[in-house]
């Protein structure tokens, strides 16, 4: 359900003009995704999650990197 909310939020905001709010959203989503990837990695290393968690970790880290890249590219404008 968390990802459904994030995806709807991202989909409807995809054409928003460059603004401070959009920059904050990109950075916030990047930090959130990095945190989820980190938590998934920790739970895997602790033995509380199986190998399947790695798919989620890779997906979350990829999303985080892409949002961070957007934030960096628009931060210099």
């Amino acid at each position: 359900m968390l990802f459904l909310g994030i995806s709807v939020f991202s989909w409807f905001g995809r054409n928003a003009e460059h603004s401070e709010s959009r920059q904050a959203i990109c950075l916030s989503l990047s930090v959130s995704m990095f945190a989820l990837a980190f938590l998934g990695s920790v739970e895997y290393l602790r033995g509380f999650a199986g190998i399947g968690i790695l798919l989620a970790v890779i997906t979350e880290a990829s999303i985080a990197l892409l949002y961070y890249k957007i934030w960096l590219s628009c931060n210099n404008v």
Side-chain angles (χ1 to χ4, degrees), residues 5-74:
I6 290 172
S7 63
V8 169
F9 183 68
S10 297
W11 179 259
F12 285 104
R14 72 189 183 280
N15 294 325
E17 293 183 27
H18 175 71
S19 67
E20 193 172 323
S21 298
R22 187 178 124 177
Q23 288 300 98
I25 290 167
C26 286
L27 186 59
S28 298
L29 286 172
S30 179
V31 169
S32 296
M33 291 294 116
F34 272 128
L36 286 170
F38 175 74
L39 289 174
S41 300
V42 168
E43 293 303 311
Y44 176 72
L45 293 173
R46 290 178 60 202
F48 290 113
I51 193 75
I53 195 70
L54 295 180
L55 177 61
V57 167
I58 291 168
T59 303
E60 291 159 354
S62 299
I63 292 170
L65 287 171
L66 290 172
Y67 272 112
Y68 187 71
K69 183 178 175 184
I70 292 169
W71 180 77
L72 278 179
S73 68
C74 293

